């Protein structure tokens, strides 16, 4: 970079540039910054004038960071993270942890270890506010990598070697249908009986390697390959299954109550079902804020307190009444 006198660099312009670069769109950046598009374009122009380099090449069909833009983004992310750490740093000076923690979750994370870790963190640090955001797993990982979140709890496909991963639990998936489906309530079914039926699924199945088994399961059962409904959100997948759109995969332990209430019916296969690991993801220790470090500590304590076999949910083959209409047994924790 040229000698641009960083003591005079406008912090607001730098913050706006990070949002623009991560949004890959002036329009999207304007929405996130609550500004007009001309105002955001003006911010970018003024920053380029200050640093003396063109930072983004853009047209109606292209939006790409220049080499200078990529380098500035890398530094700017660290700067914005440092600024966000100031409340926690000031709190540390008083030996009291204060500030805000952000955890990004995949939809409907159901885990006693997760709940216990949150309770423990709040008991130890009652002056820290907590924001829980539900996002697709890919977005959660990106937010941690960009230091816009302290932790992500999500299904991990391809791991980023710059982040740290701790397995929280493993969940098994089963196939389910809703009350209006022709197979609902039938106990005499085999895998071949599912052949030719419509199905619903997750938008991330094609992009998240951890969910590829769900596509393979659909093929194994002969379900129609073209999904009639899809979502990133587990609750919306369940909604479509109950509404009769088609057969779909859901984590067994999450929907036991729905089966007991007669809203869902589990279908074969009951053996060799797909499973996915749900991980706690943070920055490595050297880059974590104090808040992020404390979050990582309490989650690691919960994981260490429960053996791996007790953190595998929904793997047992259901008895004829289990998972199909009877009240479920409590989870082992």
């Amino acid at each position: 970079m040229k000698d641009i006198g960083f003591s005079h660099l406008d912090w607001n312009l730098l913050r706006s540039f990070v949002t623009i670069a991560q949004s890959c769109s002036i329009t999207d950046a304007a929405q996130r910054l609550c500004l007009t598009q001309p105002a955001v374009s003006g911010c970018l122009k003024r920053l380029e004038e200050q640093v003396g380099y063109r930072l983004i090449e853009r047209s109606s069909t292209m939006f790409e960071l220049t080499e200078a833009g990529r380098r500035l983004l890398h530094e700017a992310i660290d700067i914005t993270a440092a600024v966000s750490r100031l409340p926690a740093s000031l709190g540390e000076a008083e030996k009291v942890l204060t500030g805000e923690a952000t955890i990004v979750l995949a939809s409907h994370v159901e885990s006693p270890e997760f709940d216990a870790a949150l309770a423990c963190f709040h008991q130890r640090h009652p002056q820290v506010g907590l924001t829980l955001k539900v996002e697709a797993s890919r977005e959660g990982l990106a937010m941690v990598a960009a230091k816009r979140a302290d932790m992500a709890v999500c299904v991990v496909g391809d791991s980023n070697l710059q982040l740290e991963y701790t397995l929280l639990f493993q969940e098994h998936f089963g196939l389910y249908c809703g009350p209006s489906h022709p197979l609902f309530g039938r106990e005499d079914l085999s895998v071949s009986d599912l052949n030719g039926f419509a199905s619903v699924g997750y938008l991330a199945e094609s992009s998240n390697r951890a969910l590829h088994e769900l596509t393979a399961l659909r093929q194994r059962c002969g379900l129609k390959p073209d999904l009639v409904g899809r979502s990133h959100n587990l609750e919306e997948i369940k909604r479509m299954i109950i509404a009769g759109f088609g057969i779909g995969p859901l984590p067994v332990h999450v929907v036991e109550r729905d089966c007991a209430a007669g809203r869902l019916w589990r279908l074969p296969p009951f053996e060799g079902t797909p499973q996915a690991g749900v991980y706690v993801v943070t920055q490595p220790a050297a880059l974590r804020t104090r808040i992020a470090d404390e979050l990582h500590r309490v989650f690691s304590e919960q994981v260490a307190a429960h053996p791996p076999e007790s953190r595998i949910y929904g793997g047992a083959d259901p008895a004829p009444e289990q998972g199909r209409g009877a009240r479920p047994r409590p989870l082992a924790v």
Side-chain angles (χ1 to χ4, degrees), residues 220-250:
R220 170 185 169 190
C221 296
L223 296 173
K224 291 181 179 179
D226 295 329
L227 300 177
V228 297
R230 58 193 64 80
S231 176
H232 282 301
N233 192 296
L234 184 151
E235 284 297 313
E236 303 313 317
I237 296 293
K238 184 175 76 172
R239 188 194 306 275
M240 288 186 282
I241 295 172
I242 293 173
F245 277 63
I247 294 169
L250 294 166

mmCIF file of all heavy atoms in Angstrom, residues 220-250:
data_model
loop_
_atom_site.group_PDB
_atom_site.id
_atom_site.type_symbol
_atom_site.label_atom_id
_atom_site.label_comp_id
_atom_site.label_asym_id
_atom_site.label_seq_id
_atom_site.Cartn_x
_atom_site.Cartn_y
_atom_site.Cartn_z
ATOM 1 N N ARG A 220 -31.500 -44.460 -2.454
ATOM 2 C CA ARG A 220 -31.604 -45.851 -1.990
ATOM 3 C C ARG A 220 -33.060 -46.286 -1.862
ATOM 4 O O ARG A 220 -33.406 -47.438 -2.152
ATOM 5 C CB ARG A 220 -30.890 -45.973 -0.641
ATOM 6 C CG ARG A 220 -31.097 -47.284 0.102
ATOM 7 C CD ARG A 220 -30.435 -47.197 1.478
ATOM 8 N NE ARG A 220 -30.796 -48.303 2.339
ATOM 9 C CZ ARG A 220 -30.501 -48.358 3.643
ATOM 10 N NH1 ARG A 220 -29.848 -47.356 4.211
ATOM 11 N NH2 ARG A 220 -30.859 -49.403 4.365
ATOM 12 N N CYS A 221 -33.925 -45.346 -1.465
ATOM 13 C CA CYS A 221 -35.333 -45.679 -1.257
ATOM 14 C C CYS A 221 -36.177 -45.481 -2.512
ATOM 15 O O CYS A 221 -37.387 -45.755 -2.496
ATOM 16 C CB CYS A 221 -35.902 -44.824 -0.131
ATOM 17 S SG CYS A 221 -35.132 -45.139 1.468
ATOM 18 N N GLY A 222 -35.553 -45.015 -3.592
ATOM 19 C CA GLY A 222 -36.286 -44.841 -4.839
ATOM 20 C C GLY A 222 -37.223 -43.652 -4.832
ATOM 21 O O GLY A 222 -38.165 -43.596 -5.634
ATOM 22 N N LEU A 223 -36.999 -42.683 -3.935
ATOM 23 C CA LEU A 223 -37.824 -41.484 -3.938
ATOM 24 C C LEU A 223 -37.518 -40.651 -5.172
ATOM 25 O O LEU A 223 -36.413 -40.720 -5.735
ATOM 26 C CB LEU A 223 -37.554 -40.659 -2.677
ATOM 27 C CG LEU A 223 -37.928 -41.317 -1.350
ATOM 28 C CD1 LEU A 223 -37.448 -40.474 -0.183
ATOM 29 C CD2 LEU A 223 -39.420 -41.554 -1.261
ATOM 30 N N LYS A 224 -38.477 -39.870 -5.615
ATOM 31 C CA LYS A 224 -38.261 -39.036 -6.797
ATOM 32 C C LYS A 224 -37.083 -38.092 -6.556
ATOM 33 O O LYS A 224 -36.992 -37.465 -5.503
ATOM 34 C CB LYS A 224 -39.524 -38.245 -7.120
ATOM 35 C CG LYS A 224 -40.675 -39.114 -7.619
ATOM 36 C CD LYS A 224 -41.898 -38.265 -7.946
ATOM 37 C CE LYS A 224 -43.040 -39.146 -8.466
ATOM 38 N NZ LYS A 224 -44.259 -38.344 -8.760
ATOM 39 N N PRO A 225 -36.177 -37.970 -7.521
ATOM 40 C CA PRO A 225 -34.962 -37.172 -7.302
ATOM 41 C C PRO A 225 -35.216 -35.671 -7.211
ATOM 42 O O PRO A 225 -34.471 -34.957 -6.553
ATOM 43 C CB PRO A 225 -34.090 -37.519 -8.515
ATOM 44 C CG PRO A 225 -35.062 -37.953 -9.574
ATOM 45 C CD PRO A 225 -36.176 -38.638 -8.835
ATOM 46 N N ASP A 226 -36.251 -35.172 -7.876
ATOM 47 C CA ASP A 226 -36.536 -33.739 -7.849
ATOM 48 C C ASP A 226 -37.370 -33.407 -6.611
ATOM 49 O O ASP A 226 -38.486 -33.901 -6.442
ATOM 50 C CB ASP A 226 -37.289 -33.315 -9.110
ATOM 51 C CG ASP A 226 -36.445 -33.489 -10.367
ATOM 52 O OD1 ASP A 226 -35.217 -33.356 -10.258
ATOM 53 O OD2 ASP A 226 -37.021 -33.790 -11.432
ATOM 54 N N LEU A 227 -36.807 -32.565 -5.753
ATOM 55 C CA LEU A 227 -37.495 -32.208 -4.514
ATOM 56 C C LEU A 227 -38.695 -31.308 -4.805
ATOM 57 O O LEU A 227 -38.606 -30.375 -5.596
ATOM 58 C CB LEU A 227 -36.534 -31.479 -3.573
ATOM 59 C CG LEU A 227 -35.278 -32.256 -3.142
ATOM 60 C CD1 LEU A 227 -34.396 -31.376 -2.270
ATOM 61 C CD2 LEU A 227 -35.662 -33.528 -2.403
ATOM 62 N N VAL A 228 -39.795 -31.580 -4.120
ATOM 63 C CA VAL A 228 -40.976 -30.718 -4.261
ATOM 64 C C VAL A 228 -40.979 -29.603 -3.227
ATOM 65 O O VAL A 228 -41.786 -28.673 -3.303
ATOM 66 C CB VAL A 228 -42.284 -31.535 -4.139
ATOM 67 C CG1 VAL A 228 -42.391 -32.544 -5.255
ATOM 68 C CG2 VAL A 228 -42.372 -32.229 -2.776
ATOM 69 N N GLY A 229 -40.092 -29.698 -2.247
ATOM 70 C CA GLY A 229 -39.964 -28.652 -1.232
ATOM 71 C C GLY A 229 -38.569 -28.673 -0.668
ATOM 72 O O GLY A 229 -37.960 -29.731 -0.519
ATOM 73 N N ARG A 230 -38.049 -27.495 -0.343
ATOM 74 C CA ARG A 230 -36.683 -27.419 0.178
ATOM 75 C C ARG A 230 -36.527 -26.190 1.060
ATOM 76 O O ARG A 230 -37.231 -25.191 0.888
ATOM 77 C CB ARG A 230 -35.661 -27.388 -0.970
ATOM 78 C CG ARG A 230 -35.854 -26.238 -1.932
ATOM 79 C CD ARG A 230 -35.046 -26.392 -3.203
ATOM 80 N NE ARG A 230 -35.462 -27.539 -3.977
ATOM 81 C CZ ARG A 230 -36.524 -27.559 -4.766
ATOM 82 N NH1 ARG A 230 -37.278 -26.474 -4.883
ATOM 83 N NH2 ARG A 230 -36.852 -28.620 -5.446
ATOM 84 N N SER A 231 -35.602 -26.266 2.011
ATOM 85 C CA SER A 231 -35.342 -25.145 2.901
ATOM 86 C C SER A 231 -34.012 -25.372 3.607
ATOM 87 O O SER A 231 -33.536 -26.500 3.705
ATOM 88 C CB SER A 231 -36.465 -24.999 3.940
ATOM 89 O OG SER A 231 -36.179 -23.971 4.872
ATOM 90 N N HIS A 232 -33.415 -24.275 4.116
ATOM 91 C CA HIS A 232 -32.259 -24.402 5.003
ATOM 92 C C HIS A 232 -32.710 -24.724 6.423
ATOM 93 O O HIS A 232 -31.911 -25.183 7.240
ATOM 94 C CB HIS A 232 -31.463 -23.085 5.045
ATOM 95 C CG HIS A 232 -30.600 -22.865 3.848
ATOM 96 N ND1 HIS A 232 -29.597 -23.734 3.471
ATOM 97 C CD2 HIS A 232 -30.573 -21.849 2.943
ATOM 98 C CE1 HIS A 232 -28.999 -23.276 2.381
ATOM 99 N NE2 HIS A 232 -29.566 -22.144 2.051
ATOM 100 N N ASN A 233 -33.966 -24.463 6.721
ATOM 101 C CA ASN A 233 -34.458 -24.507 8.092
ATOM 102 C C ASN A 233 -35.162 -25.825 8.381
ATOM 103 O O ASN A 233 -36.119 -26.196 7.698
ATOM 104 C CB ASN A 233 -35.417 -23.330 8.316
ATOM 105 C CG ASN A 233 -35.742 -23.141 9.783
ATOM 106 O OD1 ASN A 233 -36.336 -24.002 10.398
ATOM 107 N ND2 ASN A 233 -35.361 -21.993 10.319
ATOM 108 N N LEU A 234 -34.711 -26.529 9.419
ATOM 109 C CA LEU A 234 -35.275 -27.826 9.764
ATOM 110 C C LEU A 234 -36.767 -27.709 10.077
ATOM 111 O O LEU A 234 -37.556 -28.579 9.693
ATOM 112 C CB LEU A 234 -34.523 -28.396 10.966
ATOM 113 C CG LEU A 234 -34.873 -29.801 11.459
ATOM 114 C CD1 LEU A 234 -33.653 -30.436 12.095
ATOM 115 C CD2 LEU A 234 -36.020 -29.790 12.455
ATOM 116 N N GLU A 235 -37.169 -26.666 10.768
ATOM 117 C CA GLU A 235 -38.580 -26.508 11.126
ATOM 118 C C GLU A 235 -39.457 -26.389 9.883
ATOM 119 O O GLU A 235 -40.594 -26.886 9.857
ATOM 120 C CB GLU A 235 -38.757 -25.272 12.011
ATOM 121 C CG GLU A 235 -38.305 -25.471 13.440
ATOM 122 C CD GLU A 235 -39.122 -26.534 14.161
ATOM 123 O OE1 GLU A 235 -40.360 -26.507 14.078
ATOM 124 O OE2 GLU A 235 -38.506 -27.419 14.796
ATOM 125 N N GLU A 236 -38.935 -25.745 8.842
ATOM 126 C CA GLU A 236 -39.731 -25.601 7.615
ATOM 127 C C GLU A 236 -39.786 -26.899 6.825
ATOM 128 O O GLU A 236 -40.797 -27.195 6.176
ATOM 129 C CB GLU A 236 -39.173 -24.460 6.763
ATOM 130 C CG GLU A 236 -39.126 -23.119 7.488
ATOM 131 C CD GLU A 236 -40.420 -22.801 8.215
ATOM 132 O OE1 GLU A 236 -41.503 -23.027 7.644
ATOM 133 O OE2 GLU A 236 -40.356 -22.340 9.364
ATOM 134 N N ILE A 237 -38.712 -27.688 6.887
ATOM 135 C CA ILE A 237 -38.757 -29.033 6.285
ATOM 136 C C ILE A 237 -39.838 -29.858 6.978
ATOM 137 O O ILE A 237 -40.668 -30.518 6.334
ATOM 138 C CB ILE A 237 -37.392 -29.735 6.412
ATOM 139 C CG1 ILE A 237 -36.309 -28.995 5.611
ATOM 140 C CG2 ILE A 237 -37.487 -31.190 5.949
ATOM 141 C CD1 ILE A 237 -36.499 -29.031 4.129
ATOM 142 N N LYS A 238 -39.842 -29.813 8.308
ATOM 143 C CA LYS A 238 -40.853 -30.557 9.065
ATOM 144 C C LYS A 238 -42.262 -30.058 8.715
ATOM 145 O O LYS A 238 -43.191 -30.866 8.572
ATOM 146 C CB LYS A 238 -40.594 -30.415 10.564
ATOM 147 C CG LYS A 238 -41.540 -31.241 11.423
ATOM 148 C CD LYS A 238 -41.160 -31.165 12.884
ATOM 149 C CE LYS A 238 -41.563 -29.841 13.495
ATOM 150 N NZ LYS A 238 -41.370 -29.811 14.966
ATOM 151 N N ARG A 239 -42.421 -28.761 8.583
ATOM 152 C CA ARG A 239 -43.731 -28.199 8.250
ATOM 153 C C ARG A 239 -44.240 -28.761 6.916
ATOM 154 O O ARG A 239 -45.411 -29.126 6.779
ATOM 155 C CB ARG A 239 -43.639 -26.677 8.162
ATOM 156 C CG ARG A 239 -45.001 -25.986 8.004
ATOM 157 C CD ARG A 239 -44.810 -24.522 7.588
ATOM 158 N NE ARG A 239 -43.942 -23.802 8.481
ATOM 159 C CZ ARG A 239 -44.354 -23.220 9.615
ATOM 160 N NH1 ARG A 239 -45.626 -23.294 9.969
ATOM 161 N NH2 ARG A 239 -43.495 -22.561 10.369
ATOM 162 N N MET A 240 -43.345 -28.844 5.921
ATOM 163 C CA MET A 240 -43.758 -29.338 4.611
ATOM 164 C C MET A 240 -44.103 -30.828 4.656
ATOM 165 O O MET A 240 -45.031 -31.292 3.978
ATOM 166 C CB MET A 240 -42.665 -29.059 3.574
ATOM 167 C CG MET A 240 -42.552 -27.584 3.194
ATOM 168 S SD MET A 240 -41.387 -27.264 1.843
ATOM 169 C CE MET A 240 -39.826 -27.353 2.729
ATOM 170 N N ILE A 241 -43.348 -31.596 5.459
ATOM 171 C CA ILE A 241 -43.649 -33.028 5.592
ATOM 172 C C ILE A 241 -45.025 -33.212 6.226
ATOM 173 O O ILE A 241 -45.854 -33.992 5.738
ATOM 174 C CB ILE A 241 -42.563 -33.731 6.427
ATOM 175 C CG1 ILE A 241 -41.209 -33.690 5.705
ATOM 176 C CG2 ILE A 241 -42.962 -35.188 6.701
ATOM 177 C CD1 ILE A 241 -40.048 -34.184 6.553
ATOM 178 N N ILE A 242 -45.294 -32.491 7.314
ATOM 179 C CA ILE A 242 -46.585 -32.607 7.985
ATOM 180 C C ILE A 242 -47.719 -32.164 7.057
ATOM 181 O O ILE A 242 -48.814 -32.735 7.063
ATOM 182 C CB ILE A 242 -46.584 -31.777 9.279
ATOM 183 C CG1 ILE A 242 -45.610 -32.386 10.295
ATOM 184 C CG2 ILE A 242 -47.985 -31.679 9.882
ATOM 185 C CD1 ILE A 242 -45.406 -31.553 11.549
ATOM 186 N N ALA A 243 -47.444 -31.152 6.204
ATOM 187 C CA ALA A 243 -48.464 -30.642 5.287
ATOM 188 C C ALA A 243 -48.727 -31.576 4.115
ATOM 189 O O ALA A 243 -49.651 -31.331 3.334
ATOM 190 C CB ALA A 243 -48.050 -29.263 4.771
ATOM 191 N N GLY A 244 -47.904 -32.624 3.960
ATOM 192 C CA GLY A 244 -48.165 -33.602 2.917
ATOM 193 C C GLY A 244 -47.419 -33.396 1.618
ATOM 194 O O GLY A 244 -47.736 -34.039 0.613
ATOM 195 N N PHE A 245 -46.404 -32.525 1.617
ATOM 196 C CA PHE A 245 -45.643 -32.307 0.381
ATOM 197 C C PHE A 245 -44.923 -33.577 -0.051
ATOM 198 O O PHE A 245 -44.780 -33.835 -1.234
ATOM 199 C CB PHE A 245 -44.620 -31.181 0.589
ATOM 200 C CG PHE A 245 -45.175 -29.804 0.432
ATOM 201 C CD1 PHE A 245 -46.159 -29.340 1.292
ATOM 202 C CD2 PHE A 245 -44.742 -28.970 -0.579
ATOM 203 C CE1 PHE A 245 -46.689 -28.076 1.159
ATOM 204 C CE2 PHE A 245 -45.266 -27.696 -0.728
ATOM 205 C CZ PHE A 245 -46.246 -27.241 0.143
ATOM 206 N N GLY A 246 -44.425 -34.344 0.903
ATOM 207 C CA GLY A 246 -43.701 -35.551 0.559
ATOM 208 C C GLY A 246 -42.956 -36.107 1.748
ATOM 209 O O GLY A 246 -43.070 -35.615 2.877
ATOM 210 N N ILE A 247 -42.171 -37.144 1.502
ATOM 211 C CA ILE A 247 -41.338 -37.780 2.519
ATOM 212 C C ILE A 247 -40.057 -36.971 2.667
ATOM 213 O O ILE A 247 -39.506 -36.468 1.680
ATOM 214 C CB ILE A 247 -41.014 -39.219 2.096
ATOM 215 C CG1 ILE A 247 -42.294 -40.064 2.073
ATOM 216 C CG2 ILE A 247 -39.968 -39.854 2.999
ATOM 217 C CD1 ILE A 247 -42.115 -41.415 1.414
ATOM 218 N N GLY A 248 -39.566 -36.851 3.910
ATOM 219 C CA GLY A 248 -38.344 -36.085 4.103
ATOM 220 C C GLY A 248 -37.537 -36.558 5.296
ATOM 221 O O GLY A 248 -38.064 -37.208 6.207
ATOM 222 N N PRO A 249 -36.217 -36.222 5.322
ATOM 223 C CA PRO A 249 -35.335 -36.627 6.418
ATOM 224 C C PRO A 249 -35.323 -35.602 7.549
ATOM 225 O O PRO A 249 -35.264 -34.402 7.321
ATOM 226 C CB PRO A 249 -33.964 -36.696 5.734
ATOM 227 C CG PRO A 249 -34.041 -35.656 4.649
ATOM 228 C CD PRO A 249 -35.482 -35.586 4.209
ATOM 229 N N LEU A 250 -35.376 -36.101 8.775
ATOM 230 C CA LEU A 250 -35.333 -35.261 9.963
ATOM 231 C C LEU A 250 -34.498 -35.946 11.035
ATOM 232 O O LEU A 250 -34.458 -37.188 11.100
ATOM 233 C CB LEU A 250 -36.740 -35.003 10.510
ATOM 234 C CG LEU A 250 -37.686 -34.172 9.639
ATOM 235 C CD1 LEU A 250 -39.114 -34.305 10.147
ATOM 236 C CD2 LEU A 250 -37.246 -32.713 9.599
#
